Amino acid sequence: MLEPPDLDPQSVLRQFERRASHFEDNDYLLREVETRMLSRLDAVRLAPQCIVDLGCGLGAGVAALQKRYPQAEVTGLDHSPAMLARARERLAPPARGLFAGLLASLGAGSSPRQHFIEADIAAPPLPRDSVDLLWSNLSLHWLARPDEALAALMRIARPGALLMFSVFGVDTLRQLRAPREGKAGTLMGFCDMHDWGDALVNAGFAEPVMDMERIDLSFGRVPDLLRDLHRLGGNALRSRAPGLRGRGFRDALQARLQATQGDGAALSLSFEIVYGHAWVPARKRREDGLSPIEFLPARPRKGKS
């Protein structure tokens, strides 16, 4: 089963609120994973009418999915008001004409087929059986109870809908992890790929497919590495150190990194990217965990009335 991470949800929200103004400067990893996820849709026969991007951030995924499925209504859902404000701004069509200023002041933004909702991924305020494609790019691992979120996603998904997501796997940031880390957590942990697969089945999804790959990022200097890592998310653990880390921590971290790379080699960080997709059965399991059974009358045999 999925181990609930030791995350403080309010700290997660505060961190993404602070990063909203410059998040696009360091979202290259999300955009790369998004491209790889979109390519996986090539093998899927799907014509969704309603798509939800869970943890949409600055809205790049919303735009990409709208381009791929122009007939669909695409909704971006995120818990961060600052991220959603930037998403609406970035996806707004170019202002033209006499009423452009008025429309902007009224908050008119993205395409009529694109919408944004401020909400927790674990409690999406959407109607039951209303979504054809649930999409999440590197966001589900930020949830304190990902198993409960999967159950909530099953509720809003239509029979026959597809869930496609990516998360960080257990080997992410392995170069930064001390062999015996103390109680004050420095790095959040990530769940195993197989645990995600089991959680999908437990939530009622069918035919889960899980796989993973590793993406290595290289940096010239430790300050560059720490800056990008901080902008990708930072530390939202409840057990994190209460104050700022000093020079001794930075020096020890640099020594650990260089020990894994060798003298003169570029500093490298590994990210294990776990991809998963699963289908919603034609007959969904009830929320109490039971599956309905339908009894059909027997067909009359040939030659009998």
Side-chain angles (χ1 to χ4, degrees):
M1 61 179 296
L2 287 177
E3 289 288 337
D6 178 37
L7 289 175
D8 177 1
Q10 289 304 312
S11 179
V12 173
L13 176 58
R14 285 194 301 269
Q15 292 199 34
F16 282 98
E17 284 282 280
R18 289 196 297 265
R19 287 164 176 74
S21 62
H22 55 263
F23 194 67
E24 66 268 31
D25 296 339
N26 290 83
D27 70 344
Y28 48 83
L29 182 59
L30 278 80
R31 300 287 70 78
E32 177 61 29
V33 174
E34 176 189 279
T35 298
R36 301 184 186 198
M37 288 178 65
L38 288 168
S39 69
R40 290 164 182 257
L41 285 174
D42 294 340
V44 176
R45 296 182 62 182
L46 194 67
Q49 296 301 309
C50 180
I51 303 172
V52 177
D53 183 358
L54 303 150
C56 66
L58 300 183
V62 171
L65 290 166
Q66 184 76 85
K67 182 178 180 181
R68 188 179 189 95
Y69 301 110
Q71 81 287 353
E73 298 275 346
V74 184
T75 297
L77 188 149
D78 204 287
H79 208 184
S80 166
M83 285 285 187
L84 291 176
R86 291 293 317 281
R88 293 186 181 100
E89 175 187 337
R90 285 161 56 91
L91 269 61
R96 296 178 182 175
L98 180 63
F99 298 104
L102 175 60
L103 291 173
S105 67
L106 293 175
S110 56
S111 158
R113 302 187 70 80
Q114 295 173 0
H115 315 279
F116 294 95
I117 298 176
E118 179 189 335
D120 188 346
I121 296 175
L126 297 168
R128 183 187 303 272
D129 299 344
S130 63
V131 182
D132 301 300
L133 174 58
L134 295 158
W135 175 274
S136 181
N137 179 18
L138 296 180
S139 62
L140 294 182
H141 52 251
W142 287 109
L143 301 177
R145 292 302 305 267
D147 51 344
E148 293 182 358
L150 292 177
L153 299 183
M154 172 59 72
R155 181 186 64 82
I156 65 173
R158 284 194 182 113
L162 174 67
L163 166 64
M164 179 170 282
F165 67 95
S166 61
V167 290
F168 288 145
V170 291
D171 257 359
T172 297
L173 306 179
R174 59 181 177 79
Q175 294 91 343
L176 298 180
R177 300 187 187 276
R180 294 180 180 178
E181 199 159 26
K183 292 184 179 179
T186 58
L187 292 172
M188 64 183 287
F190 302 102
C191 296
D192 184 84
M193 174 179 71
H194 302 95
D195 292 334
W196 281 105
D198 293 342
L200 290 171
V201 174
N202 291 338
F205 288 92
E207 303 175 49
V209 176
M210 306 296 303
D211 66 319
M212 56 77 66
E213 62 182 343
R214 194 179 76 183
I215 296 178
D216 293 327
L217 302 181
S218 297
F219 301 85
R221 304 183 309 134
V222 168
D224 297 335
L225 181 152
L226 295 178
R227 179 202 63 212
D228 284 13
L229 184 61
H230 180 72
R231 289 180 176 178
L232 282 170
N235 188 350
L237 293 174
R238 294 183 188 275
S239 58
R240 65 189 181 276
L244 295 174
R245 299 283 186 168
R247 177 173 294 181
F249 172 79
R250 186 195 64 187
D251 292 345
L253 182 61
Q254 181 168 352
R256 190 185 310 160
L257 283 167
Q258 291 178 340
T260 64
Q261 310 302 318
D263 293 337
L267 300 171
S268 178
L269 278 184
S270 296
F271 292 84
E272 180 184 316
I273 310 299
V274 172
Y275 300 96
H277 74 261
W279 297 90
V280 176
R283 188 178 296 276
K284 292 171 64 172
R285 190 175 66 192
R286 293 182 354 190
E287 292 188 11
D288 59 9
L290 300 177
S291 298
I293 298 176
E294 182 178 359
F295 292 94
L296 300 175
R299 295 180 180 179
R301 297 180 180 179
K302 292 183 179 181
K304 303 272 187 176
S305 58

